[in-house]
Amino acid sequence: MHEEGIPEMKNIGPLDNNGRFDVVLALFFLVGVASFIAGLFVDAQRAWYNYLIEFFFFLSIALGGLVFAAVQYASSAAWSVTIRRIGEGLFSYLPGLAITVAILLLGVKELYSWAYTAPHDYFTYTKEVYMTTLWFIVREAFFFALWIFFGFMIVNTSLKQDKTRNPRLTRRNKKLSIFFLILFGYTFTFSSMDLLMSLQDHFYSTIFGVYCFSGLFLSGMAAIAIVVITLKNRGYLQNAVEKKHLHDLGTWIMAFSVFMVYIGFSQYMLIWYADLPHEISYLIPRSSNGWQYLFALLPLLKWLLPFIVLMPEKNRSNPRVIFWVSIGVLIGQWLDIYWMVVPSFSESFRMISWIEIGMFLGFFGLYGLVVRRFYKRHSLVSVGDPNLETCLKGRYLHV
């Protein structure tokens, strides 16, 4: 693309059709399917809770990409125009993920004690109406339908603008994004409570959903950074994404690592200070019997690493530094979900086994195939956005 007043962008997609890489991803997916089936025979409970871990991890990345794009539209941000399509592409996995929800629902009774035991005390009795299998299925179906609807509307409007160059489509996406973000805040809170917090039916935390959201947004930005830098290294996005854009993306990662640790510390401090039985029953198993080492590692990967390493100005413009920090953040996010899920099934720390590795590869293969399909069909940059020139020339830096 080259228009008067706009710097020429080179190799902005669609992505080349690399059949070999698709074959590798397909093999990963088959390894995951085989690992899950074999796990059901060896240790069914472990297979199911690993399914939940991978499900929630890749759900967070997919929704993180959509939330990132929605925030940019809602705030009329200009700096991210050449990056935003990458986030929209991460969302393209969500319809495929909806299929895996049906499989997850088959394992409800393997995962959640409330699904097969009658209320036996005050806390479980007061939650009896809410925590039923049917109501669980209805809620999750509604949440996914809502996310997919708004995601399709936002992404399809963005893709339509590539052809029409109609600035009114940006205003439409701004309105859609505002409504989506408001609804998302509530629906994701309830969904994270259903999928993760209810693994221990006594526990509740008023900021558990916010903590899960902080991990979602941080991991979503880390995934966007990894994809952008990988594409740059392969010759894509030339003149479209430069140091000033990477600097802003690195700043966002650093800033939200602080938000994540703030929410995490707030939850821990309030539970520790109040010392209520139905709250400390969640933290005590996760800070003893070997789990305390993983507990201590989480703020290192999700806060100290991005905050300290990205603090120097030059590092926030260094693609290699941002890439490896983002890898660390995603490792921290996976371990965080592992730490939230597994102690509900094992008091002692469980080392990662072939089931964890195989199922991660399976979900990664499926995710990669679906997202690559999106990037192979559409431009990697929102070429019709009216703020494209502002983004390319860095004029937003002087506003």
Side-chain angles (χ1 to χ4, degrees):
M1 173 186 175
H2 180 62
E3 297 182 4
E4 184 179 355
I6 301 180
E8 182 180 5
M9 296 182 293
K10 300 178 181 178
N11 205 5
I12 58 173
L15 200 65
D16 292 336
N17 189 11
N18 188 334
R20 292 182 179 179
F21 192 52
D22 288 339
V23 169
V24 172
L25 292 173
L27 289 175
F28 282 171
F29 173 66
L30 294 177
V31 167
V33 173
S35 298
F36 180 56
I37 294 174
L40 291 176
F41 288 97
V42 176
D43 188 343
Q45 189 180 72
R46 188 165 192 166
W48 279 115
Y49 74 60
N50 272 286
Y51 190 95
L52 174 62
I53 291 169
E54 309 306 340
F55 174 87
F56 197 84
F57 176 76
F58 286 97
L59 170 67
S60 296
I61 294 177
L63 287 174
L66 178 60
V67 170
F68 176 82
V71 168
Q72 307 312 307
Y73 275 117
S75 60
S76 300
W79 73 271
S80 58
V81 171
T82 54
I83 292 176
R84 193 179 61 230
R85 179 60 52 78
I86 303 302
E88 294 170 357
L90 295 182
F91 158 77
S92 64
Y93 171 68
L94 197 59
L97 188 68
I99 298 174
T100 63
V101 175
I103 300 175
L104 178 67
L105 295 177
L106 296 176
V108 168
K109 291 189 177 181
E110 290 284 348
L111 292 168
Y112 304 101
S113 60
W114 49 260
Y116 58 84
T117 59
H120 54 275
D121 55 29
Y122 172 77
F123 294 105
T124 53
Y125 178 78
T126 55
K127 301 176 183 180
E128 181 183 11
V129 175
Y130 185 83
M131 298 171 68
T132 64
T133 302
L134 178 60
W135 186 212
F136 177 90
I137 293 172
V138 170
R139 287 195 304 271
E140 294 307 310
F142 171 73
F143 297 154
F144 270 83
L146 189 70
W147 299 336
I148 291 172
F149 170 76
F150 274 97
F152 266 123
M153 292 291 290
I154 292 170
V155 174
N156 287 341
T157 300
S158 176
L159 294 175
K160 183 179 179 181
Q161 193 176 51
D162 286 355
K163 300 176 181 179
T164 65
R165 312 296 172 92
N166 186 346
R168 288 183 297 178
L169 295 180
T170 296
R171 294 192 289 272
R172 179 189 299 177
N173 261 354
K174 182 182 178 73
K175 295 177 182 178
L176 283 170
S177 296
I178 292 172
F179 281 116
F180 165 71
L181 291 172
I182 294 172
L183 293 173
F184 179 78
Y186 288 101
T187 55
F188 183 73
T189 294
F190 282 104
S191 183
S192 60
M193 290 166 59
D194 286 342
L195 295 172
L196 298 184
M197 194 171 77
S198 71
L199 289 169
Q200 292 190 209
D201 53 10
H202 280 70
F203 172 66
Y204 69 85
S205 168
T206 55
I207 58 175
F208 186 85
V210 183
Y211 179 75
C212 290
F213 169 78
S214 66
L216 173 149
F217 198 68
L218 183 61
S219 59
M221 288 190 297
I224 291 171
I226 290 170
V227 173
V228 168
I229 294 168
T230 300
L231 290 174
K232 286 281 288 182
N233 290 340
R234 292 184 57 195
Y236 291 94
L237 303 175
Q238 298 303 307
N239 299 331
V241 177
E242 298 181 342
K243 283 189 174 182
K244 57 179 175 284
H245 305 113
L246 292 177
H247 175 274
D248 290 340
L249 187 57
T251 302
W252 274 59
I253 294 173
M254 182 185 70
F256 270 87
S257 72
V258 178
F259 176 72
M260 186 282 307
V261 78
Y262 164 72
I263 297 299
F265 172 76
S266 297
Q267 179 173 252
Y268 177 83
M269 183 270 293
L270 290 172
I271 293 175
W272 173 82
Y273 183 79
D275 198 26
L276 299 176
H278 55 277
E279 293 183 352
I280 62 172
S281 63
Y282 179 84
L283 281 180
I284 288 178
R286 288 164 173 78
S287 55
S288 57
N289 298 320
W291 291 108
Q292 68 270 27
Y293 303 113
L294 181 55
F295 185 30
L297 182 62
L298 295 178
L300 174 64
L301 291 172
K302 298 181 72 176
W303 172 52
L304 285 177
L305 176 67
F307 182 74
I308 293 177
V309 175
L310 294 178
M311 177 65 74
E313 190 82 12
K314 62 179 181 179
N315 285 352
R316 295 204 297 280
S317 302
N318 188 322
R320 181 175 298 180
V321 173
I322 296 175
F323 180 88
W324 288 110
V325 165
S326 298
I327 290 290
V329 167
L330 289 183
I331 293 173
Q333 173 69 359
W334 189 91
L335 290 174
D336 196 1
I337 299 171
Y338 189 82
W339 175 80
M340 286 190 280
V341 170
V342 182
S344 298
F345 305 94
S346 174
E347 291 185 2
S348 300
F349 177 73
R350 281 192 173 181
M351 293 294 295
I352 293 173
S353 70
W354 60 270
I355 297 180
E356 282 80 12
I357 295 172
M359 292 187 63
F360 175 83
L361 291 176
F363 271 83
F364 178 78
L366 176 62
Y367 189 90
L369 286 171
V370 175
V371 172
R372 274 178 54 81
R373 181 174 178 269
F374 178 89
Y375 293 145
K376 287 189 291 186
R377 297 177 62 187
H378 305 292
S379 169
L380 299 172
V381 175
S382 302
V383 294
D385 194 287
N387 291 316
L388 180 61
E389 181 178 357
T390 301
C391 176
L392 291 173
K393 291 187 175 183
R395 289 177 177 171
Y396 61 90
L397 296 170
H398 310 292
V399 174

